[in-house]
């Protein structure tokens, strides 16, 4: 089963003549953890946006969990995104005035599917996820997220991406604000939790040192025949 | 979504509070102005009911109305007792009540009148005056006081009170020598009657009759009834026949609104025994005005014509309702100005809110990107901003209405004492509710601007925040 299928995906920003993305074929299998690397400006973030349904892609070019993203319109894409995808950003993943726990539970607010999959008690599921990610202190997870360190914030973001077991987790350079040691443990935790929940992971980074922990690694410029 | 919105607002509580405050202020102002205006009108209209005509020396209708009904200012010259008797005998007239004014008791106007006043005066849609305690005055020493007067000084029946000259808070000289005894206290009416002191015509005269020497006014002289012609002389104040050399000084006095006088000389009265009018055992030389009731309302024109033909004295017959309309036309400009100002403040409040919402948007792009990554649609983010506006507006309106209620509770006694106005803390009227709704809707409408901006921003930003 493939969770992400890209077929003849061509995308160019409206003010550009050359397409940023021009991908013939790319598949992400269920439960597969893939490392995506490429120089700055090569279109890594654009690729994730295409998969997340944030940018308009041609019909039939992007399928996630069996659905054609390009065929979804308006709010359907947003609902689809929260139903099937978990997203971790580079920095500032959390709403600072919500607690770590509330931030983790955000997808359950917007998606009945995620809420149902999180079990009878989403709160307990969130607490368990946070504990597994090293945030066990009850005081800590109930404090506003602005009181957390950057490393802790990124771990809360992982918990949020994984709650309710979405098919795919997209992570856009989530380690760039972390120091070497934290980075290692963070990636280990991320991979462990993705495997535990069976989610596929698309991890974007230009830090090649993390590459070896993944099932597979791709270079975007290689994939992107339009750029090469 | 609601608690997300609330928490996000709380995160910006300082600016949000300021916004709520400015909305509250504009709501309080706009509703307050409306309430004041409506109450003033209602209060004024109530005060004049029951009286078909007010007759006074020729003068401005509104001025006569203000002086006689509301105890503010004074009428022009006095009118002679002869004229009173002439009017009383007109066939179209069913009743008359003489009015003498120009004195005050500790800042409250003193009215010299007959006990028929209490019978004929109507207020608040035709209600008669009722005595909370006591009875009308029977003797020249008796006085009847309005509810506010009784409340202000703790007077009850039997209290002895002393009058002072002049209208206004400052007494020019105190008439210790002419004390009155309160015989009755009127029930609350919500009109100017509440702050009036009523004495008999004789009692009113007694205030001034006594020693002319004590009155520190060199010009007080004989006041002949026929002295009242068309001249700017004030009240029955200083004799028109005063030395011409002094007339300048007299005018000066007049301008200051000082209305000394009523030093009528009873010996001078043409013929006190000639007429016999049951109730009026005392006949002052001049009075200030006459309240009259008509046999038929349609008789107004013929009366006005007859008064115009009256050769001895120039008289005006004022229709209270017509004079009220004139009053409105005078106050309309001021009202409009006030309402425009209140509207401008409300607009400033709303603009303040839009500025606050718009200014925060750039700082909140991150927030919107996160919300979108967890499934919020652009429409959802759009409604988030509108929801914020709703919260701010509602909080502002609630706070404004509460503030206004507290404020009215505080200033109600002051307004009532000084202007006979009672605002009261009732439920908001339909007009007020409409005004509040107008503020709310225009606020909501205005907040569509930042909401639309967010909508477009989230669409183009997607999940990443662009610079
Ligand atoms: N919203 C946008 N509008 C127009 N052009 C854009 C937009 N976002 C990205 N681009 C362009 O697309 C190209 C790829 O950008 P993208 O952000 O995908 O690169 P990236 O690989 O993520 O780079 P980095 O490693 O620096 O994050 C760039 O040339 C950029 O100018
Ligand atoms: Mg990028």
């Amino acid at each position: 089963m493939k969770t992400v299928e890209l077929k003849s995906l061509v995308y160019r920003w409206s003010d550009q003549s050359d397409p940023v993305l021009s991908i013939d074929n790319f598949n992400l299998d269920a439960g597969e953890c893939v490392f995506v690397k490429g120089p700055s400006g090569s279109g890594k973030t654009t690729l994730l946006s295409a998969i997340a349904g944030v940018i308009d892609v041609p019909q039939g070019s992007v399928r996630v969990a069996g659905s054609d993203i390009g065929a979804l319109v308006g709010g359907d894409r947003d609902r689809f995104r929260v139903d099937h995808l978990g997203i971790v950003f580079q920095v500032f993943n959390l709403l600072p005035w919500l607690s770590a726990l509330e931030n983790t539970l955000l997808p359950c607010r917007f998606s009945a599917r995620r809420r149902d999959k999180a079990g009878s008690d989403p709160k307990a599921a969130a607490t368990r996820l946070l504990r597994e990610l090293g945030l066990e202190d009850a005081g800590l997870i109930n404090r506003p997220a602005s009181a957390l360190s950057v490393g802790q914030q990124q771990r809360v973001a992982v918990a949020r991406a994984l709650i309710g077991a979405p098919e795919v987790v997209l992570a856009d350079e989530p380690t760039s604000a972390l120091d070497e040691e934290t980075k290692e443990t963070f990636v280990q935790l991320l991979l462990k939790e993705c495997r535990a929940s069976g989610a596929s992971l698309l991890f974007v980074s230009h830090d090649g040192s993390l590459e070896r922990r993944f099932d597979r690694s791709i270079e975007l410029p290689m994939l992107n025949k339009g750029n090469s | 979504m609601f608690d997300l919105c609330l928490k996000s607002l709380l995160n910006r509580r300082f600016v949000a509070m300021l916004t709520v405050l400015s909305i509250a202020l504009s709501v309080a102002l706009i509703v307050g102005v409306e309430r004041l205006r409506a109450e003033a009108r209602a209060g004024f209209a109530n005060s004049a009911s029951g009286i078909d005509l007010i007759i006074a020396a020729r003068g401005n209708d509104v001025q006569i109305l203000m002086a006689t009904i509301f105890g503010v200012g004074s009428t022009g010259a006095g009118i002679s007792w002869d004229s009173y008797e002439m009017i009383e005998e007109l066939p179209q007239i069913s009743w008359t009540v003489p009015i003498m004014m120009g004195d005050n008791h500790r800042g409250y106007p003193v009215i010299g009148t007959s006990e028929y006043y209490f019978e004929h005066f109507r207020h608040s849609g035709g209600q008669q005056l009722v005595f909370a305690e006591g009875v009308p005055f029977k003797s020249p020493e008796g006085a009847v006081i309005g509810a506010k007067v009784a409340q202000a000084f703790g007077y009850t029946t039997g209290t002895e009170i002393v009058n002072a000259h002049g209208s206004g808070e400052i007494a020019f000289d105190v008439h210790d020598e002419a004390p009155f005894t309160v015989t009755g206290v009127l029930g609350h009416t919500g009109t100017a009657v509440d702050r009036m002191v009523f004495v008999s015509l004789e009692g009113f005269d007694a205030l001034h009759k006594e020693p002319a020497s004590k009155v520190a006014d060199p010009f007080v002289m004989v006041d002949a009834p026929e002295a009242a012609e068309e001249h700017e002389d004030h009240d029955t104040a200083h004799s028109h026949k005063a030395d011409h050399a002094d007339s300048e000084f007299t005018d000066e006095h007049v301008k200051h609104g000082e209305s000394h006088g009523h030093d009528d000389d009873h010996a001078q009265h043409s013929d006190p025994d000639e007429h016999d009018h049951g109730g009026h055992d005392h006949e002052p030389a001049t009075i200030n005005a006459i309240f009259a009731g008509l046999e038929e309302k349609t008789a107004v024109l013929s009366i006005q014509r007859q008064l115009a033909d009256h050769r001895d004295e120039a008289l005006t017959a004022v229709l209270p309702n017509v004079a009220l309309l004139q009053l409105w036309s005078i106050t309309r400009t001021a009202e409009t100005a006030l309402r425009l100002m209140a509207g401008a403040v409300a607009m400033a409040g709303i603009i303040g809110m839009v500025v606050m919402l718009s200014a925060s948007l750039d700082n909140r792009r991150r927030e919107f990107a996160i919300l979108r990554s967890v499934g919020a649609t652009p429409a959802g983010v759009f409604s988030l901003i509108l929801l914020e506006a709703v919260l701010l507006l509602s909080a502002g309106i609630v706070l404004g209405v509460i503030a206004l209620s507290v404020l009215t509770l505080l200033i109600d006694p002051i307004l009532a004492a000084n202007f006979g106005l009672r605002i009261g803390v009732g439920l908001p009227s339909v007009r007020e509710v409409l005004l509040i709704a107008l503020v709310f809707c225009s606020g909501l409408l205005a907040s569509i601007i930042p909401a639309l901006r967010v909508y477009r921003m989230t669409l183009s930003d997607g999940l990443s925040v662009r610079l």
Side-chain angles (χ1 to χ4, degrees):
Chain A
M1 225 293 261
K2 297 175 178 60
T3 50
V4 176
E5 298 173 73
L6 306 182
K7 211 171 276 163
S8 332
L9 168 63
V10 179
Y11 186 81
R12 61 165 61 81
W13 291 102
S14 53
D15 50 352
Q16 287 180 337
S17 52
D18 295 334
V20 185
L21 298 177
S22 181
I23 299 171
D24 256 353
N25 207 355
F26 171 78
N27 293 323
L28 185 64
D29 289 331
E32 196 183 14
C33 296
V34 173
F35 186 84
V36 180
K37 61 185 172 185
S40 182
S42 57
K44 303 185 294 294
T45 301
T46 310
L47 173 66
L48 294 191
S49 298
I51 296 170
V54 179
I55 55 177
D56 283 317
V57 289
Q59 281 198 19
S61 58
V62 180
R63 302 183 78 85
V64 175
S67 293
D68 185 356
I69 296 284
L72 293 172
V73 287
D76 287 347
R77 270 198 212 167
D78 299 290
R79 282 181 277 275
F80 181 85
R81 180 187 316 126
V82 66
D83 279 349
H84 299 279
L85 296 167
I87 296 165
V88 183
F89 297 111
Q90 187 171 357
V91 279
F92 307 125
N93 270 289
L94 310 181
L95 297 177
W97 58 90
L98 293 182
S99 69
L101 192 61
E102 288 169 314
N103 264 295
T104 308
L105 285 167
L106 272 177
C108 297
R109 267 177 203 264
F110 288 92
S111 162
R113 186 175 191 264
R114 295 279 290 271
R115 193 162 53 235
D116 292 344
K117 285 177 90 178
S120 55
D121 186 3
K123 225 175 190 159
T127 316
R128 185 177 43 75
L129 261 174
L130 285 169
R131 191 182 327 113
E132 281 169 17
L133 285 160
L135 300 160
E136 29 213 315
D137 187 356
L140 197 69
I141 63 174
N142 285 309
R143 228 178 303 152
S146 49
L148 298 175
S149 78
V150 177
Q152 288 167 331
Q153 286 179 30
Q154 292 303 82
R155 278 180 277 162
V156 173
V158 170
R160 182 177 64 201
L162 285 167
I163 193 161
E167 282 89 340
V168 188
V169 172
L170 304 175
D172 194 353
E173 313 199 32
T175 55
S176 60
L178 305 179
D179 61 52
E180 285 303 317
E181 222 164 299
T182 327
K183 200 183 287 186
E184 281 294 325
T185 42
F186 175 81
V187 172
Q188 277 175 27
L189 278 171
L190 176 61
L191 286 168
K192 190 185 111 201
E193 290 305 321
C194 284
R195 298 212 156 100
S197 79
S200 322
L201 170 65
L202 210 52
F203 185 100
V204 164
S205 177
H206 44 235
D207 185 352
S209 67
L210 301 168
E211 195 177 341
R212 59 201 157 76
R213 303 194 174 276
F214 288 79
D215 299 336
R216 176 152 76 99
S217 162
I218 54 164
E219 290 212 33
L220 191 55
M222 302 296 283
L223 194 64
N224 232 337
K225 66 164 194 220
N227 271 17
S228 53
Chain B
M1 203 68 170
F2 181 77
D3 69 316
L4 275 186
C5 179
L6 201 65
K7 282 176 173 157
S8 171
L9 265 182
L10 281 178
N11 189 50
R12 288 166 281 140
R13 60 180 79 77
F14 180 69
V15 194
M17 268 316 293
L18 285 184
T19 311
V20 166
L21 270 182
S22 79
I23 293 169
L25 185 71
S26 30
V27 167
L29 197 72
I30 209 165
V31 174
V33 164
E34 172 58 27
R35 195 171 290 181
L36 198 64
R37 197 191 62 83
E39 288 303 322
R41 284 204 170 200
F44 276 36
N46 277 341
S47 302
S49 63
I51 300 164
D52 294 327
L53 277 180
I54 302 168
I55 297 149
R58 181 159 300 167
N60 178 282
D61 284 11
V62 172
Q63 190 192 349
I64 291 168
L65 179 85
M66 291 301 289
T68 54
I69 302 279
F70 304 109
V72 178
S74 60
T75 59
I79 51 183
S80 70
W81 189 253
D82 287 341
S83 298
Y84 175 73
E85 287 173 335
M86 182 276 291
I87 288 160
E88 195 180 26
E89 276 162 11
L90 290 176
Q92 303 97 317
I93 299 279
S94 83
W95 55 264
T96 55
V97 172
I99 300 288
M100 293 174 82
M101 327 177 302
D103 262 319
N104 81 87
H105 173 69
R106 295 167 78 171
Y108 290 88
V110 174
I111 310 291
T113 184
S114 72
E115 60 266 38
Y116 297 117
Y117 185 97
F118 309 113
E119 204 174 292
H120 293 299
F121 190 87
R122 293 285 184 282
H123 68 92
S124 316
Q127 280 174 263
Q128 223 180 330
L129 290 175
V130 288
F131 279 81
E133 17 169 318
V135 291
F137 47 74
K138 286 281 184 295
S139 67
E141 293 80 36
V144 169
I145 55 176
K148 282 281 168 193
V149 182
Q151 192 189 325
F153 306 119
Y155 293 163
T156 56
T157 47
T159 311
E160 228 182 49
I161 60 175
V162 173
N163 269 355
H165 255 323
S167 36
E169 300 266 355
I170 301 140
F172 293 100
D173 59 325
V174 179
H175 295 246
D176 312 38
E177 70 278 0
F180 290 93
T181 306
V182 176
T183 65
V185 178
L186 293 172
H188 189 86
T189 65
T191 68
V193 167
D194 290 352
R195 36 179 217 101
M196 287 177 172
V197 175
F198 300 94
V199 299
S200 66
L201 297 178
E202 192 173 359
F204 197 89
D205 269 345
L207 278 173
H208 311 279
K209 184 164 79 177
E210 195 114 353
S213 57
K214 274 202 176 177
V215 180
D217 189 338
F219 307 114
V220 174
M221 290 174 70
V222 178
D223 197 7
E226 63 273 15
E229 287 161 34
E230 272 206 46
H231 55 71
E232 68 287 348
D233 202 349
H234 202 54
D235 197 18
T236 52
H238 311 275
S239 165
H240 190 60
K241 294 186 171 171
D243 194 334
H244 261 277
D246 296 315
S247 65
E248 211 181 306
F249 188 39
T250 308
D251 286 349
E252 192 73 13
H253 264 247
V254 169
K255 272 181 208 138
H256 285 94
E258 188 184 340
S259 50
H260 280 229
H262 300 299
D263 39 297
D264 20 77
D265 190 339
H266 288 273
Q268 267 249 324
H269 197 283
S270 50
D271 195 352
D273 303 318
E274 194 182 292
H275 311 288
D276 181 25
H277 298 289
H280 313 300
D281 34 18
H282 173 78
E283 298 185 355
T286 64
I287 58 174
N288 294 79
I290 304 164
F291 287 171
L294 298 175
E295 294 287 358
E296 281 177 59
K297 307 286 176 212
T298 47
V300 168
L301 282 179
S302 72
I303 294 220
Q304 282 183 323
R305 200 173 328 112
Q306 263 168 298
L307 290 186
D309 290 345
H310 186 51
R311 205 84 39 82
D312 299 344
E313 247 177 331
L315 295 174
T316 303
V318 179
L319 289 162
N321 289 332
V322 174
L324 273 176
L325 284 182
Q326 283 180 20
L327 185 64
W328 298 154
S329 69
I330 294 168
T331 55
R332 190 162 299 136
T333 326
E335 273 176 32
T336 311
L338 257 176
R339 289 161 111 174
L340 278 180
M341 239 166 62
V345 171
M347 219 154 84
I350 287 169
I351 290 174
M353 184 186 76
V354 172
V355 166
M356 178 242 171
L357 288 177
S358 307
S360 66
L361 292 188
D362 281 326
N363 300 327
R364 298 172 66 197
R365 292 178 97 145
R366 196 63 233 168
E367 177 184 339
F368 302 134
I370 292 166
L371 285 174
R372 286 212 69 198
S373 80
V374 296
T377 58
V381 177
F382 177 87
S383 53
L384 190 75
I385 301 294
L386 285 194
L387 193 60
E388 263 181 33
V390 167
L391 283 179
L392 291 171
L393 284 167
S394 312
I397 285 170
V398 168
L399 192 69
V401 170
I402 290 175
L404 184 67
S405 303
V406 172
L407 195 72
T408 36
L409 272 183
L410 292 181
I411 64 165
D412 204 33
I414 302 169
L415 279 180
N418 289 320
F419 306 106
L421 275 184
R422 270 173 45 79
I423 295 181
V425 192
L427 285 172
S429 70
V430 177
R431 268 192 75 101
E432 287 168 20
V433 171
L434 282 180
L435 275 176
I436 290 174
L438 189 72
V439 171
F440 186 84
C441 291
S442 43
L444 204 59
L445 216 61
S447 63
I448 286 181
I449 301 166
L452 268 181
R453 259 190 70 201
V454 161
Y455 183 82
R456 268 190 256 111
M457 220 157 78
T458 47
L459 275 185
S460 72
D461 274 358
L463 301 182
S464 60
V465 179
R466 289 207 292 149
L467 292 174

